[in-house]
Amino acid sequence: MTPNRNWKSRLVGPLRDRLTKVRMARPYRVEVVAEARRFEGAIAVVTGASGTIGRAIALRLAAEGAEVFAVGRDLDRLNSVLAEIRAFGGVGHATVVDLAQDDQIKSFFDGLNRVDILVNCAGGSARDSHGPIWSQTMAVVDSVLASNLRAAIGCTMAASAKMIEQRSGRIVNVGSVLGAHGKANFADYGASKAGLVGYTKSAAIELGRHGVTINTVSPGIVQRGEPTLRQLDRVGATNVLDRPGTAEDIAEAVAFFASSAADFITGQDLAVDGGRSLGLRGDA
């Protein structure tokens, strides 16, 4: 039988089409969203702003008029985000805060006159230290829980005190679909994000009568940098929608919860994952 020499083209062709879709869905232009200006005059705090998702959130809120305090540990990266904000006429501040230090959290929030929006985006997985639960170390578990859960609790405690005085405020926690669905070798990360959802629901019950809402946005796979054909093929096996998520997809959901359009929504967890968590399509 003569081999079909076109099999590669039949495989790569659709993947290239998918790559085109991703590029077309790339970050919104701040000039466009700036027309809405839903957060004009608001003070917004974004933790983890030096990361991919945190950066996108900080840009989005600033583009719509918020004065953004970009919080993180890497001053150079924070200054880069600040430069982007100022490039389109936004107002921002780069602030180094170690969220593992309670006194630094308190000092930072005490220095603010008011807080209208808090986005808890700081955190991450154990990266190269992740592994099976029977071989994981408690040092890594403690680190993951501290960065993903404890830091968000500390910032929420400090910010909510000001919001209660104001009788208004929006808190948005960035979770993960792993918090609801889990993933092998990431039990510590899944636990931290599940805890964040539980904390959000409990806090919503306490804060609602004070005019403060708190919700969670849970991303699926979010593309960092330009996707490769191999990555797109993997995403196609797990996502219902035909492209990986972008940081701007997450920023869009955060901006919704922070806006007046979500006035009557609190204690909720919104999966922004392209349908990855539907049925049995998610990876193990």
Side-chain angles (χ1 to χ4, degrees):
M1 179 179 294
T2 303
N4 187 335
R5 299 182 183 278
N6 292 324
W7 69 272
K8 285 187 177 180
S9 64
R10 292 204 306 272
L11 173 63
V12 173
L15 288 176
R16 292 196 186 282
D17 291 343
R18 195 179 300 157
L19 182 59
T20 299
K21 289 182 180 179
V22 173
R23 285 171 174 154
M24 291 176 66
R26 296 297 284 188
Y28 47 75
R29 293 181 60 83
V30 292
E31 295 90 342
V32 175
V33 297
E35 295 176 0
R37 309 293 290 185
R38 292 180 293 181
F39 309 120
E40 192 75 56
I43 302 297
V45 175
V46 180
T47 71
S50 58
T52 301
I53 295 176
R55 166 192 166 275
I57 294 169
L59 291 175
R60 178 57 186 261
L61 297 180
E64 291 204 46
E67 180 179 350
V68 175
F69 285 82
V71 174
R73 290 182 294 181
D74 189 323
L75 182 59
D76 289 339
R77 294 176 68 178
L78 290 173
N79 281 331
S80 178
V81 175
L82 181 58
E84 291 185 79
I85 289 175
R86 290 176 174 172
F88 59 75
V91 179
H93 311 274
T95 308
V96 174
V97 179
D98 185 351
L99 300 181
Q101 304 299 320
D102 297 342
D103 58 337
Q104 290 193 31
I105 293 176
K106 183 179 186 304
S107 177
F108 168 69
F109 282 99
D110 283 349
L112 301 177
N113 291 328
R114 61 180 294 119
V115 181
D116 299 295
I117 301 167
L118 168 65
V119 182
N120 288 309
C121 189
S125 69
R127 300 184 183 276
D128 294 336
S129 298
H130 70 80
I133 55 176
W134 55 86
S135 63
Q136 187 57 281
T137 67
M138 286 306 298
V140 171
V141 173
D142 287 342
S143 176
V144 171
L145 291 174
S147 61
N148 290 319
L149 181 56
R150 194 178 189 282
I153 291 175
C155 290
T156 299
M157 290 168 61
S160 63
K162 289 185 175 295
M163 292 177 175
I164 289 172
E165 291 179 2
Q166 300 162 189
R167 300 292 303 173
S168 66
R170 298 285 183 268
I171 302 172
V172 186
N173 295 321
V174 178
S176 169
V177 293
L178 269 62
H181 302 279
K183 183 175 182 178
N185 297 322
F186 287 88
D188 45 13
Y189 180 76
S192 68
K193 294 301 187 179
L196 190 60
V197 171
Y199 180 78
T200 298
K201 292 180 180 298
S202 296
I205 297 171
E206 295 187 41
L207 296 174
R209 61 192 175 92
H210 299 289
V212 179
T213 68
I214 178 170
N215 293 284
T216 304
V217 172
S218 290
I221 297 175
V222 174
Q223 183 62 43
R224 269 80 169 172
E226 190 73 14
T228 65
L229 295 179
R230 182 177 181 180
Q231 288 171 329
L232 287 173
D233 191 38
R234 175 173 173 262
V235 168
T238 58
N239 279 8
V240 173
L241 300 180
D242 204 22
R243 66 171 178 87
T246 67
E248 289 71 29
D249 291 322
I250 311 307
E252 186 79 29
V254 170
F256 165 71
F257 275 138
S259 74
S260 60
D263 273 351
F264 203 56
I265 303 173
T266 194
Q268 302 305 304
D269 177 26
L270 175 63
V272 184
D273 66 346
R276 179 188 179 204
S277 56
L278 294 175
L280 297 175
R281 293 184 62 91
D283 58 348

PDB file of all heavy atoms in Angstrom, residues 177 180-182 237-241 271 273-284:
ATOM      1  N   VAL A 177      -9.838  25.631  38.759  1.00  0.00           N
ATOM      2  CA  VAL A 177     -10.796  24.533  38.633  1.00  0.00           C
ATOM      3  C   VAL A 177     -10.300  23.287  39.353  1.00  0.00           C
ATOM      4  O   VAL A 177     -11.080  22.393  39.684  1.00  0.00           O
ATOM      5  CB  VAL A 177     -11.085  24.195  37.149  1.00  0.00           C
ATOM      6  CG1 VAL A 177     -11.820  25.332  36.475  1.00  0.00           C
ATOM      7  CG2 VAL A 177      -9.809  23.857  36.398  1.00  0.00           C
ATOM      8  N   ALA A 180     -12.086  22.425  42.649  1.00  0.00           N
ATOM      9  CA  ALA A 180     -13.350  21.685  42.632  1.00  0.00           C
ATOM     10  C   ALA A 180     -13.188  20.273  42.083  1.00  0.00           C
ATOM     11  O   ALA A 180     -13.932  19.364  42.452  1.00  0.00           O
ATOM     12  CB  ALA A 180     -14.384  22.444  41.800  1.00  0.00           C
ATOM     13  N   HIS A 181     -12.202  20.076  41.199  1.00  0.00           N
ATOM     14  CA  HIS A 181     -12.101  18.805  40.480  1.00  0.00           C
ATOM     15  C   HIS A 181     -10.825  18.022  40.746  1.00  0.00           C
ATOM     16  O   HIS A 181     -10.761  16.839  40.444  1.00  0.00           O
ATOM     17  CB  HIS A 181     -12.252  19.057  38.980  1.00  0.00           C
ATOM     18  CG  HIS A 181     -13.541  19.710  38.625  1.00  0.00           C
ATOM     19  ND1 HIS A 181     -14.728  19.024  38.485  1.00  0.00           N
ATOM     20  CD2 HIS A 181     -13.852  21.014  38.415  1.00  0.00           C
ATOM     21  CE1 HIS A 181     -15.704  19.867  38.192  1.00  0.00           C
ATOM     22  NE2 HIS A 181     -15.203  21.080  38.152  1.00  0.00           N
ATOM     23  N   GLY A 182      -9.803  18.684  41.301  1.00  0.00           N
ATOM     24  CA  GLY A 182      -8.592  17.983  41.656  1.00  0.00           C
ATOM     25  C   GLY A 182      -7.722  17.593  40.471  1.00  0.00           C
ATOM     26  O   GLY A 182      -8.120  17.696  39.308  1.00  0.00           O
ATOM     27  N   ALA A 237      -7.586  18.382  23.559  1.00  0.00           N
ATOM     28  CA  ALA A 237      -8.054  17.129  24.135  1.00  0.00           C
ATOM     29  C   ALA A 237      -8.765  17.331  25.466  1.00  0.00           C
ATOM     30  O   ALA A 237      -9.417  16.427  25.971  1.00  0.00           O
ATOM     31  CB  ALA A 237      -6.869  16.179  24.319  1.00  0.00           C
ATOM     32  N   THR A 238      -8.637  18.502  26.065  1.00  0.00           N
ATOM     33  CA  THR A 238      -9.221  18.732  27.383  1.00  0.00           C
ATOM     34  C   THR A 238     -10.230  19.877  27.412  1.00  0.00           C
ATOM     35  O   THR A 238     -11.104  19.890  28.279  1.00  0.00           O
ATOM     36  CB  THR A 238      -8.117  19.036  28.418  1.00  0.00           C
ATOM     37  OG1 THR A 238      -7.383  20.185  27.990  1.00  0.00           O
ATOM     38  CG2 THR A 238      -7.163  17.863  28.561  1.00  0.00           C
ATOM     39  N   ASN A 239     -10.126  20.832  26.521  1.00  0.00           N
ATOM     40  CA  ASN A 239     -11.056  21.961  26.505  1.00  0.00           C
ATOM     41  C   ASN A 239     -12.182  21.725  25.510  1.00  0.00           C
ATOM     42  O   ASN A 239     -11.958  21.167  24.427  1.00  0.00           O
ATOM     43  CB  ASN A 239     -10.334  23.257  26.111  1.00  0.00           C
ATOM     44  CG  ASN A 239      -9.596  23.882  27.280  1.00  0.00           C
ATOM     45  OD1 ASN A 239      -9.502  23.297  28.342  1.00  0.00           O
ATOM     46  ND2 ASN A 239      -9.059  25.054  27.074  1.00  0.00           N
ATOM     47  N   VAL A 240     -13.359  22.166  25.851  1.00  0.00           N
ATOM     48  CA  VAL A 240     -14.479  22.096  24.914  1.00  0.00           C
ATOM     49  C   VAL A 240     -14.325  23.158  23.831  1.00  0.00           C
ATOM     50  O   VAL A 240     -14.568  22.911  22.655  1.00  0.00           O
ATOM     51  CB  VAL A 240     -15.814  22.286  25.660  1.00  0.00           C
ATOM     52  CG1 VAL A 240     -16.970  22.377  24.677  1.00  0.00           C
ATOM     53  CG2 VAL A 240     -16.035  21.137  26.644  1.00  0.00           C
ATOM     54  N   LEU A 241     -13.919  24.347  24.233  1.00  0.00           N
ATOM     55  CA  LEU A 241     -13.685  25.408  23.269  1.00  0.00           C
ATOM     56  C   LEU A 241     -12.335  25.200  22.608  1.00  0.00           C
ATOM     57  O   LEU A 241     -11.423  24.616  23.185  1.00  0.00           O
ATOM     58  CB  LEU A 241     -13.752  26.775  23.954  1.00  0.00           C
ATOM     59  CG  LEU A 241     -15.090  27.083  24.626  1.00  0.00           C
ATOM     60  CD1 LEU A 241     -15.065  28.464  25.268  1.00  0.00           C
ATOM     61  CD2 LEU A 241     -16.237  26.989  23.621  1.00  0.00           C
ATOM     62  N   ALA A 271     -16.088  29.221  36.995  1.00  0.00           N
ATOM     63  CA  ALA A 271     -15.038  28.530  36.253  1.00  0.00           C
ATOM     64  C   ALA A 271     -14.862  29.197  34.892  1.00  0.00           C
ATOM     65  O   ALA A 271     -15.808  29.314  34.123  1.00  0.00           O
ATOM     66  CB  ALA A 271     -15.395  27.056  36.071  1.00  0.00           C
ATOM     67  N   ASP A 273     -12.721  28.225  32.080  1.00  0.00           N
ATOM     68  CA  ASP A 273     -11.804  27.147  31.705  1.00  0.00           C
ATOM     69  C   ASP A 273     -12.057  26.560  30.324  1.00  0.00           C
ATOM     70  O   ASP A 273     -11.542  25.491  29.986  1.00  0.00           O
ATOM     71  CB  ASP A 273     -11.875  26.029  32.739  1.00  0.00           C
ATOM     72  CG  ASP A 273     -13.227  25.313  32.764  1.00  0.00           C
ATOM     73  OD1 ASP A 273     -14.193  25.848  32.163  1.00  0.00           O
ATOM     74  OD2 ASP A 273     -13.320  24.238  33.376  1.00  0.00           O
ATOM     75  N   GLY A 274     -12.877  27.253  29.513  1.00  0.00           N
ATOM     76  CA  GLY A 274     -13.149  26.727  28.176  1.00  0.00           C
ATOM     77  C   GLY A 274     -13.886  25.403  28.188  1.00  0.00           C
ATOM     78  O   GLY A 274     -13.849  24.659  27.215  1.00  0.00           O
ATOM     79  N   GLY A 275     -14.540  25.106  29.309  1.00  0.00           N
ATOM     80  CA  GLY A 275     -15.274  23.848  29.414  1.00  0.00           C
ATOM     81  C   GLY A 275     -14.418  22.663  29.828  1.00  0.00           C
ATOM     82  O   GLY A 275     -14.867  21.527  29.791  1.00  0.00           O
ATOM     83  N   ARG A 276     -13.193  22.920  30.276  1.00  0.00           N
ATOM     84  CA  ARG A 276     -12.290  21.845  30.658  1.00  0.00           C
ATOM     85  C   ARG A 276     -12.886  20.973  31.752  1.00  0.00           C
ATOM     86  O   ARG A 276     -12.677  19.741  31.774  1.00  0.00           O
ATOM     87  CB  ARG A 276     -10.974  22.431  31.135  1.00  0.00           C
ATOM     88  CG  ARG A 276      -9.959  21.383  31.583  1.00  0.00           C
ATOM     89  CD  ARG A 276      -8.748  22.038  32.241  1.00  0.00           C
ATOM     90  NE  ARG A 276      -7.796  21.044  32.689  1.00  0.00           N
ATOM     91  CZ  ARG A 276      -6.912  21.227  33.654  1.00  0.00           C
ATOM     92  NH1 ARG A 276      -6.889  22.376  34.292  1.00  0.00           N
ATOM     93  NH2 ARG A 276      -6.070  20.274  34.002  1.00  0.00           N
ATOM     94  N   SER A 277     -13.624  21.559  32.682  1.00  0.00           N
ATOM     95  CA  SER A 277     -14.124  20.811  33.825  1.00  0.00           C
ATOM     96  C   SER A 277     -15.465  20.129  33.567  1.00  0.00           C
ATOM     97  O   SER A 277     -16.036  19.521  34.474  1.00  0.00           O
ATOM     98  CB  SER A 277     -14.246  21.746  35.036  1.00  0.00           C
ATOM     99  OG  SER A 277     -15.071  22.854  34.739  1.00  0.00           O
ATOM    100  N   LEU A 278     -15.968  20.185  32.343  1.00  0.00           N
ATOM    101  CA  LEU A 278     -17.240  19.548  32.041  1.00  0.00           C
ATOM    102  C   LEU A 278     -17.074  18.041  31.853  1.00  0.00           C
ATOM    103  O   LEU A 278     -16.144  17.585  31.198  1.00  0.00           O
ATOM    104  CB  LEU A 278     -17.843  20.144  30.760  1.00  0.00           C
ATOM    105  CG  LEU A 278     -18.254  21.618  30.833  1.00  0.00           C
ATOM    106  CD1 LEU A 278     -18.710  22.086  29.450  1.00  0.00           C
ATOM    107  CD2 LEU A 278     -19.360  21.808  31.845  1.00  0.00           C
ATOM    108  N   GLY A 279     -17.974  17.280  32.415  1.00  0.00           N
ATOM    109  CA  GLY A 279     -17.976  15.847  32.201  1.00  0.00           C
ATOM    110  C   GLY A 279     -16.652  15.193  32.507  1.00  0.00           C
ATOM    111  O   GLY A 279     -16.023  15.468  33.515  1.00  0.00           O
ATOM    112  N   LEU A 280     -16.196  14.337  31.599  1.00  0.00           N
ATOM    113  CA  LEU A 280     -14.957  13.606  31.793  1.00  0.00           C
ATOM    114  C   LEU A 280     -13.854  14.119  30.877  1.00  0.00           C
ATOM    115  O   LEU A 280     -12.875  13.420  30.631  1.00  0.00           O
ATOM    116  CB  LEU A 280     -15.189  12.109  31.536  1.00  0.00           C
ATOM    117  CG  LEU A 280     -16.168  11.434  32.481  1.00  0.00           C
ATOM    118  CD1 LEU A 280     -16.395   9.984  32.053  1.00  0.00           C
ATOM    119  CD2 LEU A 280     -15.687  11.500  33.914  1.00  0.00           C
ATOM    120  N   ARG A 281     -13.998  15.338  30.382  1.00  0.00           N
ATOM    121  CA  ARG A 281     -13.012  15.829  29.422  1.00  0.00           C
ATOM    122  C   ARG A 281     -11.712  16.295  30.074  1.00  0.00           C
ATOM    123  O   ARG A 281     -10.673  16.353  29.452  1.00  0.00           O
ATOM    124  CB  ARG A 281     -13.585  16.979  28.593  1.00  0.00           C
ATOM    125  CG  ARG A 281     -14.707  16.552  27.656  1.00  0.00           C
ATOM    126  CD  ARG A 281     -15.143  17.720  26.817  1.00  0.00           C
ATOM    127  NE  ARG A 281     -14.068  18.223  25.963  1.00  0.00           N
ATOM    128  CZ  ARG A 281     -13.841  17.804  24.725  1.00  0.00           C
ATOM    129  NH1 ARG A 281     -14.590  16.844  24.210  1.00  0.00           N
ATOM    130  NH2 ARG A 281     -12.869  18.321  24.008  1.00  0.00           N
ATOM    131  N   GLY A 282     -11.787  16.657  31.370  1.00  0.00           N
ATOM    132  CA  GLY A 282     -10.586  17.151  32.037  1.00  0.00           C
ATOM    133  C   GLY A 282      -9.519  16.077  32.134  1.00  0.00           C
ATOM    134  O   GLY A 282      -9.808  14.883  32.204  1.00  0.00           O
ATOM    135  N   ASP A 283      -8.250  16.488  32.155  1.00  0.00           N
ATOM    136  CA  ASP A 283      -7.172  15.522  32.256  1.00  0.00           C
ATOM    137  C   ASP A 283      -7.014  15.028  33.675  1.00  0.00           C
ATOM    138  O   ASP A 283      -7.486  15.639  34.632  1.00  0.00           O
ATOM    139  CB  ASP A 283      -5.849  16.095  31.733  1.00  0.00           C
ATOM    140  CG  ASP A 283      -5.438  17.367  32.471  1.00  0.00           C
ATOM    141  OD1 ASP A 283      -6.256  17.936  33.221  1.00  0.00           O
ATOM    142  OD2 ASP A 283      -4.308  17.791  32.274  1.00  0.00           O
ATOM    143  N   ALA A 284      -6.316  13.933  33.842  1.00  0.00           N
ATOM    144  CA  ALA A 284      -6.181  13.308  35.158  1.00  0.00           C
ATOM    145  C   ALA A 284      -5.108  14.009  35.971  1.00  0.00           C
ATOM    146  O   ALA A 284      -4.235  14.646  35.431  1.00  0.00           O
ATOM    147  CB  ALA A 284      -5.828  11.835  34.998  1.00  0.00           C
TER     148      ALA A 284
END
